[in-house]
């Protein structure tokens, strides 16, 4: 907050770096679009810029037992209980991860380029996500502003799926008006890769859950777990061949993926189809959609989940049991993988 400078000042200053001025001018346009066309809050969030001098704004620590995909949870003020703990300093995050490993947990530390303070503060645009280009900035701004519209304490699946639905609708409208055919094609390719990788992880998540629930000995579980990880790497290698060698997700399936890695990549967007059904029923009128979502948010937990499952069934998606590891970092992680591999084969 202390190093943030109003974007209008930077854009209007001839002494500013020309490339930065151009990037921030694009941010101004999409930020105005977010409020004018998407009905998102018209406030001072994302109207200032801060260079933090580091690649991520926070590092999140995930921890899970050796034979479970249920991540350890921390309960915090304002946001409720979440399945990770965040630090502004990577060393602090690594220290916690080391302590958790001593307690028998498997751990994963992941960098995060953006987060929302839910409107309590005027969140600035950060170098940590500006560097990934205008489409990713648009994605991030639409998503994070949606959290200011509706947020349910302790229900990450609801919050992140809603924000992702808003982000998707916003990107659809933004691309239709502002993207070149080449940008639209690149975006479609990126989404296809993400869908394939997500399907792979969903499938193996179910396999690991089934294994951990089976009545095997510890030694048998370890052998079977190692076998599943080996086949996961093999199937991922097959995906890369189909993608022409694109290696954007290598960072998340490296030499030693574990249960905490799966927790960090949990499929928190599983309710997005339910929100898309609700949006379609409002004829894609976003302000009306937000009112309907607010009504859902006001329900008790059980009634809200029943309503969402009914919407999910209407979308044609099979019912899925809620996941305790749904933490809202799956999309960030996959986006980060896509963006971080600018030099990978296309």
């Amino acid at each position: 907050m202390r190093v943030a400078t109003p974007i209008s000042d930077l854009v209007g200053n001839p002494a500013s770096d020309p490339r930065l001025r151009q990037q921030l001018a694009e941010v101004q346009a999409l930020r105005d679009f977010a409020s004018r066309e998407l009905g998102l809050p018209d406030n001072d969030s994302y109207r200032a810029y801060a260079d933090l001098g580091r690649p991520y704004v926070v590092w999140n620590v995930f921890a899970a037992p050796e034979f479970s995909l249920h991540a350890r949870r921390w309960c915090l003020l304002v946001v409720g209980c979440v399945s990770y703990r965040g630090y502004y300093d990577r060393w602090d995050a690594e220290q916690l991860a080391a302590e958790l490993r001593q307690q028998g947990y498997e751990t994963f530390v992941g960098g995060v380029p953006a987060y929302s303070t839910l409107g309590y503060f005027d969140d600035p645009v950060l170098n940590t996500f500006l560097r990934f280009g205008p489409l990713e900035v648009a994605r991030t701004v639409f998503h994070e502003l949606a959290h200011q519209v509706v947020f349910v304490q302790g229900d990450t699946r609801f919050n992140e799926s809603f924000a992702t639905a808003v982000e998707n609708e916003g990107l659809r409208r933004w691309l239709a008006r502002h993207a070149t055919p080449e940008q639209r094609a690149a975006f479609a390719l990126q989404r296809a890769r993400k869908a394939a990788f997500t399907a792979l992880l969903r499938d193996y998540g179910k396999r690991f859950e089934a294994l951990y629930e089976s009545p095997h000995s510890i030694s048998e579980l370890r052998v079977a777990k190692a076998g599943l990880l080996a086949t996961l790497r093999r199937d991922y290698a097959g995906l890369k061949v189909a993608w022409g060698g694109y290696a954007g997700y290598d960072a998340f399936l490296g030499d030693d993926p574990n249960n905490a890695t799966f927790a960090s990549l949990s499929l928190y967007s599983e309710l997005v189809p339910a929100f898309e059904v609700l949006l379609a029923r409002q004829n894609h009128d976003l302000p009306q959609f937000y009112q309907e979502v607010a009504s859902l948010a006001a329900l008790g937990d059980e009634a809200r989940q029943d309503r969402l499952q009914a919407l999910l069934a209407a979308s044609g998606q099979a019912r899925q049991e809620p996941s305790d590891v749904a933490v809202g970092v799956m999309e960030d992680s996959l986006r980060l993988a896509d963006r971080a591999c600018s030099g990978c084969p296309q």
Side-chain angles (χ1 to χ4, degrees):
M1 296 293 180
R2 286 195 301 270
V3 299
T5 302
I7 289 176
S8 58
D9 291 354
L10 292 168
V11 171
N13 184 357
S16 298
D17 176 79
R19 183 169 182 272
L20 179 62
R21 290 174 65 192
Q22 178 182 353
Q23 288 176 306
L24 294 179
E26 293 171 341
V27 171
Q28 283 182 314
L30 68 88
R31 178 62 184 87
D32 290 341
F33 177 89
S35 296
R36 183 182 66 251
E37 303 293 335
L38 306 181
L40 292 169
D42 188 3
N43 55 27
D44 287 333
S45 292
Y46 307 110
R47 298 192 186 279
Y49 172 70
D51 187 336
L52 304 181
R54 58 182 190 265
Y56 303 111
V57 60
V58 293
W59 282 264
N60 283 346
V61 181
F62 302 86
E66 183 180 5
F67 301 116
S68 174
L69 298 185
H70 294 269
R72 174 169 173 165
R73 292 165 65 83
W74 285 267
C75 294
L76 311 168
L77 293 174
V78 181
V79 298
C81 297
V82 294
S83 301
Y84 60 90
R85 183 159 181 164
Y87 290 88
Y88 293 107
D89 187 291
R90 181 168 188 170
W91 186 87
D92 290 336
E94 296 289 357
Q95 284 293 107
L96 175 64
E99 293 172 9
L100 291 167
R101 286 193 295 272
Q102 291 180 350
Q103 299 172 25
Y105 287 98
E106 297 180 347
T107 65
F108 173 75
V109 177
V112 179
Y115 69 91
S116 172
T117 60
L118 308 179
Y120 285 93
F121 301 96
D122 296 328
D123 298 318
V125 173
L126 303 174
N127 67 296
T128 55
F129 62 89
L130 183 68
R131 60 195 172 112
F132 296 124
L135 286 183
E136 294 304 330
V137 175
R139 186 201 296 269
T140 300
V141 169
F142 300 160
H143 186 102
E144 302 302 344
L145 283 174
H147 285 314
Q148 296 186 20
V149 176
V150 179
F151 186 88
V152 179
Q153 188 180 71
D155 193 342
T156 306
R157 279 200 325 151
F158 179 94
N159 297 327
E160 297 300 339
S161 294
F162 162 64
T164 298
V166 174
E167 165 198 320
N168 290 343
E169 179 69 8
L171 277 175
R172 183 185 67 80
R173 298 186 188 191
W174 177 260
L175 286 166
R177 295 193 184 188
H178 300 281
T180 65
E182 292 76 17
Q183 287 175 318
R184 294 191 192 102
F187 184 73
L189 177 61
Q190 177 189 22
R191 287 181 67 86
R193 289 170 179 158
K194 183 183 298 181
F197 188 65
T198 296
L200 179 71
L201 293 180
R202 187 187 299 276
D203 176 51
Y204 273 90
K206 292 178 180 178
R207 296 190 195 187
F208 279 108
E209 287 178 342
L211 172 64
Y212 297 153
E213 292 171 359
S214 63
H216 294 298
S217 68
I218 296 297
S219 59
E220 289 172 332
L221 284 174
R222 285 177 179 151
V223 171
K225 178 180 177 181
L228 265 183
L229 287 170
T231 57
L232 170 59
R233 294 190 192 96
R234 181 202 65 200
D235 289 348
Y236 172 60
L239 270 184
K240 288 172 61 177
V241 171
W243 293 339
Y246 176 78
Y249 298 119
D250 281 7
F252 304 99
L253 286 179
D255 295 334
D256 190 28
N258 58 41
N259 293 334
T261 309
F262 272 92
S264 76
L265 299 176
S266 60
L267 304 179
Y268 84 114
S269 58
E270 61 186 306
L271 292 178
V272 170
F275 285 103
E276 291 177 340
V277 167
L278 190 60
L279 178 60
R281 289 180 179 176
Q282 311 310 312
N283 296 316
H284 291 261
D285 182 319
L286 282 168
Q288 182 62 39
F289 171 63
Y290 299 153
Q291 291 181 26
E292 293 295 319
V293 174
S295 297
L296 279 177
L299 297 174
D301 289 344
E302 185 174 348
R304 183 169 60 253
Q305 296 307 321
D306 288 345
R307 175 68 175 140
L308 287 167
Q309 290 300 333
L311 289 167
L312 195 63
S315 75
Q317 299 293 318
R319 180 183 177 94
Q320 300 178 42
E321 292 301 316
S323 170
D324 286 340
V325 299
V327 296
V329 178
M330 175 71 175
E331 282 292 311
D332 286 338
S333 299
L334 297 187
R335 292 174 196 154
L336 183 57
D338 288 327
R339 296 176 299 204
C341 198
S342 58
C344 296
Q346 298 300 311

